[in-house]
Amino acid sequence: MQFPESWLREFCNPPLSTEQLADTLTMAGLEVEEMRPVAPPFSRIVVGRILEATQHPNADRLRVCSVDAGEHSKDGPLQIVCGAPNARAGIKVPLALVGAELPPGDDGKPFEIKVGKLRGVESFGMLCSARELKLSDDHGGLLELADDAPVGVDVREVLKLDDTIFTLKLTPNLAHCLSVYGVARELSALTGAPLRKPEFPPVPPSHDDKLPVSVEAPDLCGRFSGRIVRNVNTQARTPAWMVDRLARCGQRSVTALVDISNYVMFEFGRPSHIFDLDKIHGGLVVRWGRAGESLKLLNGNTITLDDQVGVIADAQAVESLAGIMGGDATAVSDETKNVYVEAAFWWPKAVAGRSRRFNFSTDAGHRFERGVDPALTVEHIEHITRLIIDICGGEAGPIDDQQPRMPQREAVQLRVARAAKVIGMPVTQAQCADVLRRLGLPFTEAEGVLTVTPPSHRFDLQIEEDLIEEVIKVLGYTQLPDTPPLAPVTARVRPEARRGSHALRRAVAALGYQETINFSFVEARWEQELAGNADPIPVLNPIASPLSVMRSSLIGSLVAVLQYNLARRAQRVRIFELGRVFRRDASVTDTLTTVAGVSQPMRLSGLAYGPAQPLQWGVAERAVDFFDVKADVEALLAPRRATFVAAEHPALHPGRSARIELDGQPIGWIGELHPKWRQGYDLPQAPVLFELDAEALAAQVVPSFQSIPRQQSVWRDLALVVKDTVAHDALIGAITDDASGLVRHAQLFDIYKPKAPTADIAADERSMAVRVELLDDSATLTDERVDTVVAGIVERLGSRLQARLRG
């Protein structure tokens, strides 16, 4: 928020310098982000009146002006040569006298005015534009001053240029300070300086006309006030004092009516809207939008509406975006004669985030989504009406004020003992009561407790800590003691059977993956397509319209990162993310770390794309495949052994994906991206992805002592003919499921599939060669015992998998 210091001091003028004033505001939480003078330094520039302007005898674009400089032209008017197109007799303009210093130029040096000669005619000074004085970028002509500006007086005094512009960086809870008066109210409480409270004398009605208004959505609009003003001169010129104040608030002058509305918004934080009454069909209806409706806004954009956006409509169409921006159809213009002035209270939740849905923001929306005082709509309409009549003329009608649903403020208790504990220093009940009085907060007292009823302009006062913050803010943060806090610190030792998140990250990075960090809110499309989640958790106030839901899977985020890298010509991508996902779960209750109805587990997800190995000469290049990433997952889980079960996932190729199980429990997925999503996301080839439960990864096996075997192992190689449908895990499982306990390990080392059927191997069969390790730690294995165990293995394989030894 930006405003001039002089305007603030009109409401509250404490005996503080500019620097002290800025420090006081900053230390109270109203951070002064920037201070800059209204105008750069310059001297000997006064108000001059052009008495006569004649054509230069030797130049078509120059004029010879006779200028009255008051007491500075005792020997008669000054002769000044000027090239400005608006140099004419009768106007008053800034006059730089001989010896004047203009603001520094690009070289940083001030420009001194001397007696000069232009095309043979002497010039005793210079007539200045706003750009030459560094007041604005306007260089279209001389800066014309008000007709009542006293001739010969310093321009800095006439234009009040010895002023400072403050820029405040306000947090969202300081909506009551989004106006000059709001800041002055805080300053009065902080310094004890008197606050000049404004008065709003009613404008007597000159006619009885009212515009019919119906508020159909009380959850959108809690109060709606308005009045008709007839016979308004919309071509009236905005007073110079108002133009200057608006400019110093960062707002350019548009028309008198628009300027008046903006002026009151900066002055009292009250956004309002002025309709062209004759362009309204019938009456106005305040309601939620409807799907398919559209509205052309004042900024020229045409937007499509839905039932999540509030509107003001007439009998034919939507005319305004509630609390944000008016429509082009009912905008005032030079032909406007009759206007309707509206001031309303829009519920903050009904306005919050709506501007960002349409990729723009407004000062009105910024204020309404934080909270605007609902109690003063009528008074502010009186103030706006008075300014309209004084500047543009007109005849006011009666005010129509509807209050379908005014906010009810709940009382908040402040315990003095609790305040002292939170603040960290002793405070008395008298001090707390004094602070509340200075802030204008009504309260009642009991022993050790003050009960505050927040006023209508303080939307931020909802819990006890809010009041405690107000107490220390007014008492002064500089009063806090410098003693360091004392607290028992106990180290939390992680069990040896668990590894932390940093250890997980290092383990994945050691496999060649790079970590990414992404938003927890994602596009709804990702959830539907890549997670199979038809009902994701919506974000109430998204930072951007696409990022509208909470993610239930990390896969979408990784695919987006892959797209980003491929757009920058990356050839080989290995990325991972460790983060939370968000899923609906009715069994979850509210605790310090959980939210009712929402499960928030940690997940680890990775993506591999491109060549399996970095570019090198020793290995032929090939694309990464399922088994490369499967090996990475097994390395992360080692020494525990996971089972990979063929299954389908919405994001993965149905024939190249698997569910990962550990100790019989599913912990994640692995597979190649589904072909339709590869095409849908414009990927040249399919990446391989995995997603695992981080909790399962955190658990690890604690090494335990085992004695070295005293006996020697025995190995037997079995070439088994099985159907093509027999999986590796089923084969190994049947071998190791041995009642004798002698089978120590089994490993597949060869697969043979003949090109044509043979006597031993049919067309739908293949040979799988397995090496089996046998060991009895208590005695040496004899051939008879080994043969018995091998025979048992072959028998099990035959009965379970219809396998047979290859001949």
Side-chain angles (χ1 to χ4, degrees):
M1 179 186 168
Q2 176 179 311
F3 59 87
E5 178 186 0
S6 59
W7 198 1
L8 175 64
R9 289 187 181 274
E10 284 190 8
F11 288 111
C12 180
N13 189 14
L16 302 174
S17 66
T18 299
E19 290 73 18
Q20 290 173 328
L21 179 60
D23 183 67
T24 299
L25 293 175
T26 299
M27 291 304 297
L30 285 70
E31 180 185 352
V32 179
E33 190 175 30
E34 181 186 12
M35 287 192 308
R36 58 183 175 86
V38 169
F42 55 76
S43 60
R44 289 185 59 77
I45 299 178
V46 300
V47 178
R49 182 163 63 93
I50 300 178
L51 303 176
E52 184 180 5
T54 60
Q55 186 65 44
H56 192 290
N58 302 319
D60 293 338
R61 296 188 178 182
L62 296 180
R63 295 181 182 180
V64 180
C65 300
S66 177
V67 182
D68 178 15
E71 63 180 11
H72 303 284
S73 55
K74 296 179 180 178
D75 296 333
L78 302 177
Q79 177 177 284
I80 298 177
V81 179
C82 178
N86 63 333
R88 64 186 186 277
I91 64 172
K92 294 180 179 179
V93 296
L95 166 62
L97 303 170
V98 174
E101 287 190 351
L102 267 63
D106 294 336
D107 58 358
K109 299 179 180 179
F111 181 73
E112 185 177 355
I113 301 299
K114 301 177 181 179
V115 176
K117 184 177 289 189
L118 283 78
R119 295 292 184 92
V121 178
E122 286 190 314
S123 180
F124 298 89
M126 174 181 171
L127 303 181
C128 303
S129 68
R131 184 176 179 182
E132 287 161 341
L133 298 180
K134 299 291 180 69
L135 300 181
S136 75
D137 294 330
D138 184 12
H139 196 49
L142 301 175
L143 174 61
E144 297 188 28
L145 304 176
D147 294 337
D148 58 353
V151 176
V153 176
D154 194 316
V155 165
R156 300 191 72 91
E157 179 182 342
V158 172
L159 297 180
K160 298 181 180 179
L161 300 181
D162 294 322
D163 198 357
T164 303
I165 293 177
F166 283 13
T167 301
L168 302 189
K169 185 177 181 180
L170 299 177
T171 50
N173 64 312
L174 296 176
H176 58 288
C177 294
L178 283 170
S179 65
V180 177
Y181 180 73
V183 176
R185 184 168 48 204
E186 289 291 298
L187 184 62
S188 175
L190 294 170
T191 62
L195 175 68
R196 183 181 69 81
K197 296 185 178 181
E199 296 181 356
F200 306 103
V203 176
S206 302
H207 57 81
D208 297 328
D209 298 341
K210 283 187 178 182
L211 181 69
V213 176
S214 173
V215 181
E216 296 182 353
D219 56 336
L220 166 66
C221 178
R223 185 175 187 180
F224 193 96
S225 307
R227 84 181 328 162
I228 293 173
V229 182
R230 296 194 177 277
N231 301 320
V232 175
N233 177 18
T234 55
Q235 300 184 41
R237 187 174 180 180
T238 307
W241 60 267
M242 183 177 288
V243 173
D244 289 343
R245 280 191 172 173
L246 288 174
R248 293 175 190 183
C249 290
Q251 180 70 49
R252 66 179 181 87
S253 175
V254 183
T255 64
L257 289 176
V258 175
D259 291 347
I260 290 170
S261 179
N262 288 333
Y263 180 81
V264 174
M265 179 179 67
F266 288 119
E267 186 177 27
F268 295 114
R270 168 67 61 192
S272 60
H273 187 61
I274 300 177
F275 295 84
D276 186 326
L277 178 66
D278 300 322
K279 296 178 181 177
I280 298 175
H281 305 92
L284 294 179
V285 179
V286 180
R287 59 173 172 81
W288 291 103
R290 296 165 186 158
E293 289 183 323
S294 62
L295 170 65
K296 185 178 181 181
L297 298 169
L298 289 173
N299 62 5
N301 295 346
T302 299
I303 60 174
T304 301
L305 307 173
D306 57 30
D307 60 0
Q308 299 299 313
V309 180
V311 299
I312 302 175
D314 63 13
Q316 294 186 4
V318 176
E319 303 296 352
S320 179
L321 198 58
I324 298 173
M325 184 180 289
D328 181 69
T330 54
V332 295
S333 63
D334 290 345
E335 289 72 36
T336 299
K337 296 298 181 184
N338 307 304
V339 298
Y340 181 75
V341 182
E342 166 261 311
F345 166 69
W346 307 101
W347 287 97
K349 289 184 178 180
V351 179
R354 270 58 175 189
S355 297
R356 287 185 288 276
R357 294 181 61 185
F358 305 112
N359 297 320
F360 67 87
S361 61
T362 63
D363 287 328
H366 182 78
R367 286 163 171 78
F368 277 123
E369 67 183 7
R370 285 159 174 78
V372 174
D373 189 352
L376 297 177
T377 57
V378 171
E379 288 79 357
H380 289 162
I381 283 185
E382 297 284 9
H383 185 43
I384 294 170
T385 305
R386 175 61 63 191
L387 291 172
I388 291 175
I389 293 176
D390 290 346
I391 296 172
C392 305
E395 302 161 358
I399 292 181
D400 176 31
D401 181 33
Q402 301 186 41
Q403 303 181 27
R405 183 185 164 196
M406 292 287 282
Q408 302 298 319
R409 306 308 306 273
E410 298 291 334
V412 182
Q413 285 191 340
L414 171 63
R415 294 168 291 174
V416 178
R418 171 68 175 166
K421 183 177 181 179
V422 172
I423 293 172
M425 72 177 191
V427 293
T428 65
Q429 184 164 335
Q431 286 178 307
C432 295
D434 181 59
V435 167
L436 299 179
R437 289 191 195 94
R438 289 165 65 175
L439 290 168
L441 305 179
F443 65 94
T444 58
E445 287 192 69
E447 184 64 32
V449 179
L450 295 91
T451 303
V452 177
T453 302
S456 56
H457 64 275
R458 292 302 298 267
F459 283 82
D460 59 312
L461 300 181
Q462 299 179 2
I463 59 177
E464 184 177 26
E465 282 71 17
D466 295 330
L467 297 176
I468 295 173
E469 179 186 4
E470 296 298 312
V471 170
I472 186 56
K473 178 178 72 175
V474 175
L475 292 180
Y477 292 110
T478 56
Q479 304 299 318
L480 290 172
D482 295 332
T483 54
L486 298 176
V489 178
T490 304
R492 297 180 60 186
V493 179
R494 182 181 296 112
E496 190 178 359
R498 292 187 59 82
R499 53 181 170 177
S501 59
H502 293 297
L504 280 177
R505 290 184 174 96
R506 287 192 293 268
V508 185
L511 296 171
Y513 293 77
Q514 292 183 318
E515 185 177 10
T516 65
I517 300 175
N518 301 290
F519 287 129
S520 294
F521 24 87
V522 298
E523 296 186 33
R525 173 192 175 191
W526 298 357
E527 282 297 294
Q528 295 168 2
E529 297 176 349
L530 301 178
N533 185 4
D535 187 24
I537 300 171
V539 179
L540 294 179
N541 189 15
I543 62 171
S545 54
L547 307 180
S548 58
V549 299
M550 302 300 291
R551 64 183 179 183
S552 63
S553 170
L554 305 182
I555 292 177
S557 300
L558 295 184
V559 171
V561 174
L562 174 62
Q563 289 179 303
Y564 182 89
N565 280 270
L566 293 180
R568 285 149 185 81
R569 299 183 179 275
Q571 301 297 319
R572 185 174 185 270
V573 179
R574 297 288 188 281
I575 51 176
F576 79 94
E577 181 178 4
L578 178 64
R580 292 195 180 278
V581 296
F582 304 85
R583 298 174 176 175
R584 298 185 186 275
D585 187 346
S587 65
V588 179
T589 58
D590 264 323
T591 68
L592 292 176
T593 58
T594 61
V595 177
V598 180
S599 174
Q600 305 177 53
M602 292 288 290
R603 306 287 283 180
L604 175 68
S605 187
L607 178 149
Y609 175 92
Q613 298 291 335
L615 186 63
Q616 59 165 308
W617 63 269
V619 178
E621 183 174 308
R622 65 174 180 84
V624 66
D625 60 21
F626 176 93
F627 297 101
D628 294 315
V629 179
K630 177 175 178 286
D632 292 337
V633 172
E634 290 177 330
L636 286 175
L637 293 169
R640 295 179 299 166
R641 299 180 64 85
T643 303
F644 296 81
V645 181
E648 294 188 8
H649 184 279
L652 305 178
H653 192 301
R656 301 177 184 177
S657 60
R659 182 175 64 250
I660 305 172
E661 296 183 356
L662 191 64
D663 299 329
Q665 297 297 319
I667 64 166
W669 292 86
I670 182 173
E672 188 177 289
L673 186 67
H674 199 292
K676 67 179 178 181
W677 303 138
R678 182 185 68 78
Q679 294 179 353
Y681 291 90
D682 296 324
L683 303 177
Q685 65 186 62
V688 182
L689 305 109
F690 69 86
E691 186 170 47
L692 300 168
D693 182 11
E695 182 66 23
L697 285 170
Q700 62 182 358
V701 177
V702 178
S704 59
F705 169 78
Q706 287 184 341
S707 60
I708 297 174
R710 294 178 295 173
Q711 305 296 331
Q712 186 174 354
S713 297
V714 175
W715 291 271
R716 290 290 186 269
D717 292 345
L718 303 177
L720 302 165
V721 178
V722 296
K723 295 289 187 182
D724 289 338
T725 56
V726 174
H728 166 271
D729 287 352
L731 183 68
I732 300 301
I735 295 173
T736 56
D737 186 15
D738 181 62
S740 68
L742 299 181
V743 179
R744 182 186 181 102
H745 181 63
Q747 182 172 348
L748 177 71
F749 66 87
D750 184 48
I751 297 178
Y752 172 67
K753 176 78 174 178
K755 295 181 179 180
T758 66
D760 294 334
I761 304 176
D764 60 345
E765 293 179 329
R766 58 182 173 176
S767 172
M768 301 180 73
V770 181
R771 176 162 293 174
V772 182
E773 180 184 2
L774 307 175
L775 174 66
D776 184 351
D777 196 34
S778 61
T780 302
L781 286 174
T782 63
D783 289 340
E784 290 78 9
R785 293 183 67 191
V786 171
D787 292 342
T788 301
V789 173
V790 171
I793 292 173
V794 173
E795 183 182 353
R796 278 199 309 277
L797 290 172
S799 61
R800 295 186 185 181
L801 305 176
Q802 290 75 51
R804 66 181 184 276
L805 287 175
R806 181 178 170 189

